[in-house]
Amino acid sequence: MKTTIRTITAAALLAVTALISSSCLKDTGYYYGPGIFFPDAVVTVKPLDDQGSSFYMQLDDNTTLLPVGYGASPYKGDEVRAFVKYTEVGGDAGEYDKAVKLIWIESLLTKEMAPDKGSNNAYEYGSDPVEIIKGFPTVVEDGYMTLGFITYSAGFGGQHDVNLIYTGNPDATEDSEKYVVEFRHDANGDTYGKFLEGYVAFRLDGVDGLPDTEGKTVKLTLKWNSIRYGDRSVQFDYCTRESSGEIDGAGDAEGTDEGIDTSNLLKLQ
């Protein structure tokens, strides 16, 4: 699946303060000022049939939203992660937790995990550095790892390839060895210029994904190559298809004195 995140979410998500936030403001709203262009949450859009003629949204591991009066899913039969702006409305939500009116919805690039190529991972998937955003929308929930990140780009629309790889030992008894993933980034030579941002979500329980936690909550380790610090890692709480993540006190995402250029967004695949 290919998508380019459009500018409707740019200013909302990446002022410099987002990069040094001390907590993950999950599903409670994230604002730098008034207006309709700031998302309330990141959700999973779940079609109720193959054509997506109706759908609901998973807000977090425990809350479902029913969009009232919206019609078909804009993503047909695909399950995707998306930014949403909504208001709660009265009335019966049926089997869902809340009925809502969607003001806007904007998809993130949503991918399966990539196969581990061992010593060839750098060649296959790249090793260009990024900084992971510490705060919204970086979270692990509903079986997905959703990441916000920044990296260098000349801003001319060059494509950046991003992948998540399972590099743990499925037979290990310790979480720190069993549940390990690596974020890989190939800038395809677009490694100079200003900082631009990107957003991507990875399904964690696919063919090349994580071992089933069998109902237990485990520590999932994310590793990446940081622009400033080299090899970095952070841990999330994870339970297969019932996961949640907090990143307090770990995995800092740092900017530079030059700040962030929000006039453009990375083109991701």
Side-chain angles (χ1 to χ4, degrees), residues 152-166:
Y152 289 109
S153 174
F156 297 130
Q159 180 173 286
H160 289 230
D161 298 324
V162 289
N163 287 283
L164 192 70
I165 306 162
Y166 172 60

Side-chain angles (χ1 to χ4, degrees), residues 6-237:
R6 293 179 286 274
T7 55
I8 193 169
T9 59
L13 295 173
L14 268 176
V16 175
T17 50
L19 303 177
I20 56 175
S21 170
S22 62
S23 64
C24 181
L25 304 180
K26 183 176 65 176
D27 303 325
T28 59
Y30 198 80
Y31 299 92
Y32 294 105
I36 66 169
F37 299 110
F38 299 90
D40 291 319
V42 58
V43 302
T44 310
V45 178
K46 300 198 174 190
L48 293 172
D49 54 54
D50 292 340
Q51 291 73 43
S53 57
S54 59
F55 68 101
Y56 74 99
M57 299 178 296
Q58 189 75 36
L59 177 62
D60 52 34
D61 292 330
N62 303 307
T63 309
T64 55
L65 304 178
L66 178 67
V68 176
Y70 192 83
S73 168
Y75 313 114
K76 298 184 179 180
D78 295 327
E79 180 176 299
V80 300
R81 295 285 282 172
F83 295 118
V84 291
K85 181 76 174 177
Y86 68 91
T87 57
E88 293 186 28
V89 298
D92 184 12
E95 62 184 290
Y96 304 100
D97 295 307
K98 298 178 181 179
V100 300
K101 178 181 178 181
L102 276 177
I103 299 173
W104 59 258
I105 183 168
E106 183 77 6
S107 69
L108 289 78
L109 174 63
T110 305
K111 302 183 67 172
E112 300 287 337
M113 291 179 64
D116 181 17
K117 300 293 185 178
S119 60
N120 290 324
N121 279 338
Y123 175 78
E124 293 285 342
Y125 304 117
S127 58
D128 293 319
V130 303
E131 298 297 354
I132 300 296
I133 296 173
K134 183 182 179 181
F136 184 87
T138 297
V139 69
V140 174
E141 61 187 2
D142 192 37
Y144 289 91
M145 176 174 282
T146 303
L147 298 175
F149 66 96
I150 62 171
T151 192
Y152 289 109
S153 174
F156 297 130
Q159 180 173 286
H160 289 230
D161 298 324
V162 289
N163 287 283
L164 192 70
I165 306 162
Y166 172 60
T167 56
N169 177 1
D171 299 319
T173 57
E174 298 293 329
D175 290 356
S176 59
E177 299 177 6
K178 187 171 185 177
Y179 295 97
V180 183
V181 295
E182 290 185 8
F183 180 66
R184 288 281 178 171
H185 168 230
D186 185 350
N188 294 305
D190 185 25
T191 56
Y192 300 94
K194 297 181 179 180
F195 277 133
L196 295 184
E197 69 271 17
Y199 308 101
V200 60
F202 298 98
R203 181 178 173 180
L204 296 173
D205 59 356
V207 173
D208 295 299
L210 301 175
D212 198 311
T213 67
E214 300 179 350
K216 299 182 295 183
T217 297
V218 301
K219 289 297 183 182
L220 167 61
T221 300
L222 168 68
K223 296 182 177 181
W224 74 96
N225 181 22
S226 163
I227 294 172
R228 281 192 166 185
Y229 305 107
D231 293 339
R232 296 300 301 272
S233 66
V234 66
Q235 287 190 323
F236 298 84
D237 290 331

